[in-house]
Amino acid sequence: MAPSAQQHIDDESYSSWRQRSELEKMADLPPELEEELTTLDKDFWVSGKKLKEIVQRFREELDEGLSKNGQNIPMNLAWTGLPSGKEKGTVLTLDLGGTNLRVCKVTLHGDRKGAKEKSELDQKQYKLPKDLKTGDADGLWTFIAEKLEAFVQDKKLGEEYSKEKPMPLGFTFSYPATQDRIDHAVLQTWTKGFDIKGVEGNDVAQQLREKLEEKNLPFELICVINDTVGAMIASAYNDPKTIIGAIFGTGCNAAYMASLSDIKKLPSNSERTANKQHVYTGDKMAINCEYGAFDNAHRILPRTKFDTQIDAASPRPGEQTFEKLSAGLYLGELFRLILVDLADRSLLFQSQDTSKLREPYAIDTSFLSHLEDDESPAFTATRDLFSSTLSLTPTDPEVEFSRRIAEMIAVRGARLCACGVAAICTKEGIREGHVAADGSVANKHPKFKRRWADAMGEILGWEDGDGAARIEITSAEDGSGVGCAIVAAMEIERRGGAKE
């Protein structure tokens, strides 16, 4: 490439980030930090042209996952359609997330007259012990069964339900799993930092059933769903314009409704009947993409040396490449690694104790949000945050530099998050509708939604004021609670009317 062409690309990258920065300058940077900022900008900025290239490759991997099993993006079948909005009933739901276990008693009112809300929740949340995440299967299911048992006692469910008259149970299992039917799920691989032995390659539904039986608990497991599917289903229950469910939080993922004719790997109903498996009668089926694994071959995503460090230190190097560049679990760690790199070169925090800064994952995504959103005088809130979290006292230039880096990382994350949704929309020809988004990044970062929308507009060719339809983010309904209950209610209704 000619030097002039390369210079043009470099100038475009640098000016793009500078023009988009929303932060007011609070201090001049010394030349060495200004130079570092320029270099980092060129590494982290993802241009509109690059976004479109990523989306094209994304579409190819989505199609590969629909064609056959064992692909990079698995495109897992969810065995459910969209709700009518009339579903009713009471269901207990169990949500195993990345940080907490949540147990919910969900009452669905559907279109019942006089109901103030279409659903009601009575729930309890339990923090997952750190050692559980790297323990064994028995420890996991014992912990879950004990919390279910405690919930039964606390809510006096034993007075209404028994082994002879069990309460319907839905399980939200937010990890990549292969499902041959709706009440079955074989874990493909742990994500979100989990590495529990004895679960991968096994049916988590069966493992849970065995522990429920052992504890003599009055539940019948009706369905296993992913939280992304649940977000789409729960939102569609109230909002018919819902087209996609998405998670922008600890991890990243999306679910959408695919035409059965596009799911090449789906056995025909006659084949399923012959094998006495569940016959699916809808025209479309919910697909849990599990696209955090996009580009594990490292063909298209713009990875920095810091992304490489995160991957190498993770429990599963080489896996979940897209997630490690865009999901909330990793944004704070990216920020920390940059600061450590500069501290090692005596460009930041000179003569200060940086031992806390050197602790892996000492910084979470909320730290970055606070830096960008700080409007306190002289940025005292930012200084207090550095002090309480890292025992550091930043100078004015260090505060300025940190705010710029926090913004840069968050902008890249939001722009990359747009790519997965844009790939689904362009693949399906979707021009308008609502993306029901859940997760801490989507709902707590003050600028994520606008940055995401800007990137979607660049990819899909929106022009301000042209009246074109838009894909909009809405806040997802409770997919892991309400969504799971709705899927269970739909499945109970199907079983009651089905002749198999």
Side-chain angles (χ1 to χ4, degrees):
M1 181 183 291
S4 59
Q6 181 62 56
Q7 182 64 43
H8 173 73
I9 292 173
D10 290 345
D11 289 346
E12 178 188 31
S13 172
Y14 184 63
S15 63
S16 293
W17 178 74
R18 288 294 186 181
Q19 290 168 3
R20 290 166 183 264
S21 178
E22 302 169 28
L23 300 176
E24 291 187 14
K25 190 173 183 180
M26 61 85 62
D28 290 327
L29 296 179
E32 60 271 20
L33 283 184
E34 189 71 47
E35 184 178 345
E36 291 293 333
L37 196 62
T38 302
T39 300
L40 288 165
D41 168 42
K42 292 172 183 176
D43 288 341
F44 276 86
W45 174 250
V46 187
S47 68
K49 179 176 182 293
K50 185 64 174 180
L51 291 176
K52 292 177 182 179
E53 293 172 355
I54 292 170
V55 168
Q56 180 55 42
R57 179 58 195 157
F58 227 125
R59 287 186 59 177
E60 293 169 6
E61 290 200 15
L62 294 177
D63 285 335
E64 290 167 3
L66 288 175
S67 298
K68 54 185 177 180
N69 292 321
Q71 299 305 293
N72 200 36
I73 299 180
M75 302 296 278
N76 294 327
L77 311 181
W79 300 103
T80 188
L82 290 176
S84 65
K86 300 178 181 179
E87 288 77 12
K88 301 180 182 69
T90 300
V91 178
L92 195 76
T93 64
L94 179 67
D95 171 27
L96 180 65
T99 306
N100 300 300
L101 174 74
R102 192 166 63 115
V103 182
C104 307
K105 179 186 176 185
V106 184
T107 303
L108 302 172
H109 297 299
D111 57 355
R112 185 175 292 132
K113 292 182 179 179
K116 293 182 180 179
E117 300 289 341
K118 293 188 71 171
S119 62
E120 295 178 42
L121 265 75
D122 188 0
Q123 61 182 314
K124 292 200 76 170
Q125 188 165 283
Y126 309 92
K127 189 170 182 61
L128 297 174
K130 190 173 182 180
D131 58 355
L132 188 77
K133 299 180 182 182
T134 54
D136 58 25
D138 186 68
L140 170 67
W141 303 118
T142 297
F143 175 83
I144 290 174
E146 287 175 349
K147 299 312 177 190
L148 281 172
E149 187 174 38
F151 192 87
V152 167
Q153 294 171 354
D154 184 54
K155 305 300 178 183
K156 297 182 170 59
L157 297 179
E159 297 176 4
E160 186 176 357
Y161 301 99
S162 64
K163 293 296 291 295
E164 293 71 31
K165 183 191 172 185
M167 185 178 193
L169 175 66
F171 183 19
T172 302
F173 185 70
S174 305
Y175 301 88
T178 302
Q179 295 189 253
D180 289 332
R181 57 183 189 274
I182 201 164
D183 60 352
H184 163 273
V186 175
L187 175 63
Q188 296 164 343
T189 181
W190 283 116
T191 58
K192 304 175 189 173
F194 276 54
D195 193 17
I196 301 174
K197 299 174 182 64
V199 185
E200 287 183 346
N202 291 285
D203 178 9
V204 298
Q206 184 58 32
Q207 290 188 338
L208 176 59
R209 283 193 190 94
E210 290 171 359
K211 191 59 69 171
L212 294 177
E213 186 69 26
E214 181 184 310
K215 290 281 188 181
N216 201 36
L217 293 173
F219 300 117
E220 179 185 1
L221 183 59
I222 302 296
C223 64
V224 183
I225 71 162
N226 182 273
D227 59 346
T228 317
V229 172
M232 177 175 68
I233 297 297
S235 297
Y237 188 61
N238 291 304
D239 177 14
K241 292 184 178 181
T242 301
I243 52 169
I244 291 171
I247 303 297
F248 305 123
T250 304
C252 64
N253 191 20
Y256 74 104
M257 299 300 299
S259 298
L260 260 59
S261 58
D262 287 341
I263 310 173
K264 307 302 182 186
K265 65 183 179 183
L266 180 67
S268 66
N269 276 344
S270 59
E271 291 173 309
R272 299 188 64 77
T273 301
N275 293 321
K276 297 183 179 180
Q277 292 176 292
H278 170 42
V279 174
Y280 189 79
T281 56
D283 296 327
K284 290 190 171 187
M285 182 188 291
I287 297 293
N288 166 31
C289 299
E290 289 295 349
Y291 64 39
F294 168 62
D295 198 39
N296 278 351
H298 303 157
R299 292 175 54 177
I300 189 70
L301 289 173
R303 300 168 80 222
T304 69
K305 68 177 183 179
F306 305 105
D307 299 306
T308 304
Q309 288 176 26
I310 283 178
D311 182 41
S314 69
R316 299 297 176 88
E319 298 184 14
Q320 299 299 107
T321 295
F322 183 67
E323 190 165 85
K324 287 170 182 171
L325 268 68
S326 58
L329 178 60
Y330 306 102
L331 301 185
E333 182 67 356
L334 270 174
F335 179 81
R336 187 190 71 85
L337 289 173
I338 292 172
L339 297 190
V340 168
D341 178 60
L342 294 175
D344 284 344
R345 292 188 280 136
S346 299
L347 294 174
L348 291 176
F349 312 123
Q350 296 179 39
S351 302
Q352 293 199 54
D353 180 3
T354 58
S355 56
K356 285 193 175 181
L357 178 64
R358 296 177 186 282
E359 296 175 8
Y361 293 89
I363 298 172
D364 61 21
T365 301
S366 67
F367 192 105
L368 277 63
S369 301
H370 289 313
L371 261 62
E372 278 204 74
D373 213 27
D374 185 9
E375 296 181 355
S376 60
F379 300 99
T380 53
T382 292
R383 298 174 196 278
D384 289 346
L385 194 60
F386 267 93
S387 176
S388 61
T389 306
L390 304 171
S391 296
L392 292 173
T393 305
T395 63
D396 284 358
E398 287 168 346
V399 169
E400 171 71 5
F401 184 84
S402 298
R403 294 170 70 238
R404 300 289 168 180
I405 296 302
E407 181 187 46
M408 189 184 299
I409 291 170
V411 166
R412 188 188 73 163
R415 290 174 72 78
L416 289 177
C417 282
C419 292
V421 174
I424 293 171
C425 291
T426 55
K427 171 180 163 49
E428 294 294 308
I430 298 171
R431 292 186 54 81
E432 60 181 314
H434 295 162
V435 175
D438 200 1
S440 56
V441 176
N443 294 321
K444 293 183 179 179
H445 193 286
K447 299 168 184 174
F448 174 86
K449 291 181 180 179
R450 181 157 40 82
R451 290 166 176 169
W452 180 91
D454 287 344
M456 286 288 289
E458 290 177 52
I459 296 166
L460 300 178
W462 297 340
E463 295 180 12
D464 291 340
D466 68 356
R470 292 290 189 269
I471 312 297
E472 299 178 11
I473 281 187
T474 57
S475 292
E477 303 292 334
D478 179 10
S480 55
V482 174
C484 188
I486 294 167
V487 173
M490 293 167 65
E491 176 63 10
I492 292 168
E493 183 179 354
R494 183 197 70 80
R495 291 182 185 182
K499 295 181 181 179
E500 291 186 61

